[in-house]
Amino acid sequence: GGNHFSPGEWAYLQALNEIYNQPEKFVTLNGYEWTHSTWSGAQDSASRVGHKNVYFKGGEESPLFSHKSPEAVDPTTLFKTLHNADAIAFPHHPAWGVMTWDDHDPEIQTNYEIVSIHGANEYMGNLPIPHRGGMPGVFAQDGLAKGAKIGFVGGTDSHGLYYHAHEGWREDPYKGGMTAVLVQGTLTREHVWEALKARRNYATSGERYYIEFSVNGFPMGSAIQVSKPPVISFEARSDRILYAYVVRNNKDRFISGPVDGRMARYDGVEDETIKPGSNYYYLRVVYKDG
């Protein structure tokens, strides 16, 4: 319908972002939700277009691309347009809003929203954080199995879903997921954006948990080539950890409980059973609150 930004509203949001942007203290990114007209989340929708959260590297010059314009009428044209705009875009509440991996662009869709107020989207039926909706083929593991190179982000989407639709996984409508970024250099808008572009980030279900993860010393999000078994290392710091799982090709490969009750850690374990070809790893950490 008519629920979209006007040019004045977009200019206002950009100006507000500039006011609050304080390099090295608190930085802001310009962004918006690109919501296609087939936004309703109908699970039998033939047009699996979905929603994308768009983030810009720049400041007040950031452009706005509507799905009603020829330059962003679908994900393919949106991604093509964003290549020239210093922008990236991630699938938003994909289990409900649906999406397709056929139009995946690894240079623009560098990350996947694995958790928000709408629930978690690692795989179909994942618990204890239930996902709203559940179109087959849209989950993180589905994309990884198809060869998509993605990192994971967490978001909020504070519509108050618990109250107006009796959906969502938390009573607090403003608490969904969070994203941590590994910034190279000082804390600036540009460096945060560049970390998201390079997939140097991870998602949590709302808490500020500290995690490190690397393969052969390369940080999370890297794509590397190896000629011998890779060395996996990670550290998750918290006194609330139950288990940490290193997942390879969608299967749990290594499992660790807490060390000294304060952290879970693998410091250089070789994955000797890896097979030739493409392989991918990610880390899943489960805390006492689920």
Side-chain angles (χ1 to χ4, degrees):
N3 184 18
H4 55 83
F5 280 140
S6 70
E9 288 173 316
W10 181 235
Y12 169 75
L13 288 173
Q14 290 175 302
L16 202 62
N17 260 353
E18 292 305 308
I19 291 173
Y20 282 94
N21 189 49
Q22 303 177 60
E24 299 189 36
K25 293 183 180 180
F26 180 89
V27 300
T28 63
L29 296 179
N30 282 319
Y32 68 95
E33 180 180 345
W34 178 88
T35 301
H36 196 268
S37 56
T38 58
W39 66 271
S40 62
Q43 295 302 300
D44 58 352
S45 173
S47 181
R48 297 170 62 181
V49 177
H51 307 194
K52 311 290 183 184
N53 285 340
V54 180
Y55 301 96
F56 293 96
K57 183 178 183 179
E60 289 188 81
E61 71 278 7
S62 303
L64 179 70
F65 303 112
S66 169
H67 78 270
K68 295 185 178 182
S69 65
E71 59 193 357
V73 70
D74 57 26
T76 300
T77 56
L78 172 68
F79 294 160
K80 184 177 180 180
T81 298
L82 295 182
H83 271 283
N84 299 316
D86 273 341
I88 46 182
F90 311 148
H92 176 41
H93 52 56
W96 177 65
V98 305
M99 62 170 291
T100 175
W101 291 105
D102 296 336
D103 52 30
H104 176 65
D105 185 331
E107 295 298 316
I108 301 297
Q109 196 166 253
T110 59
N111 284 283
Y112 173 93
E113 186 185 86
I114 200 166
V115 66
S116 73
I117 196 69
H118 296 264
N121 306 293
E122 183 183 357
Y123 52 85
M124 175 77 85
N126 60 193
L127 292 174
I129 303 176
H131 49 76
R132 186 184 187 199
M135 173 71 81
V138 304
F139 294 88
Q141 289 194 349
D142 299 317
L144 291 168
K146 287 179 175 290
K149 291 182 173 64
I150 50 172
F152 296 151
V153 293
T156 52
D157 200 28
S158 51
H159 292 303
L161 288 173
Y162 184 86
Y163 301 103
H164 82 233
H166 300 289
E167 298 200 54
W169 65 283
R170 274 187 163 146
E171 292 188 20
D172 183 350
Y174 294 98
K175 189 169 187 179
M178 292 184 68
T179 302
V181 295
L182 178 59
V183 172
Q184 292 185 348
T186 58
L187 178 62
T188 66
R189 167 186 289 163
E190 293 77 16
H191 287 163
V192 170
W193 186 92
E194 288 165 358
L196 292 169
K197 175 79 170 179
R199 304 185 299 268
R200 293 196 309 270
N201 49 263
Y202 62 90
T204 84
S205 57
E207 304 299 333
R208 296 176 181 272
Y209 294 125
Y210 181 87
I211 292 173
E212 294 181 3
F213 182 68
S214 65
V215 178
N216 282 9
F218 288 86
M220 59 188 78
S222 300
I224 64 173
Q225 290 184 325
V226 299
S227 57
K228 58 183 180 180
V231 177
I232 315 298
S233 300
F234 76 84
E235 185 173 295
R237 301 178 191 173
S238 174
D239 59 0
R240 304 175 64 199
I241 293 173
L242 282 179
Y243 294 102
Y245 302 81
V246 174
V247 182
R248 186 190 73 195
N249 301 342
N250 290 346
K251 303 293 184 181
D252 296 350
R253 179 69 184 96
F254 302 110
I255 303 175
S256 173
V259 179
D260 297 330
R262 294 170 293 148
M263 65 179 67
R265 178 172 58 199
Y266 264 120
D267 188 13
V269 58
E270 286 191 3
D271 188 3
E272 297 177 345
T273 66
I274 193 172
K275 295 181 180 180
S278 295
N279 297 268
Y280 53 87
Y281 295 87
Y282 65 88
L283 182 71
R284 180 200 309 117
V285 183
V286 180
Y287 296 85
K288 293 179 181 179
D289 60 359

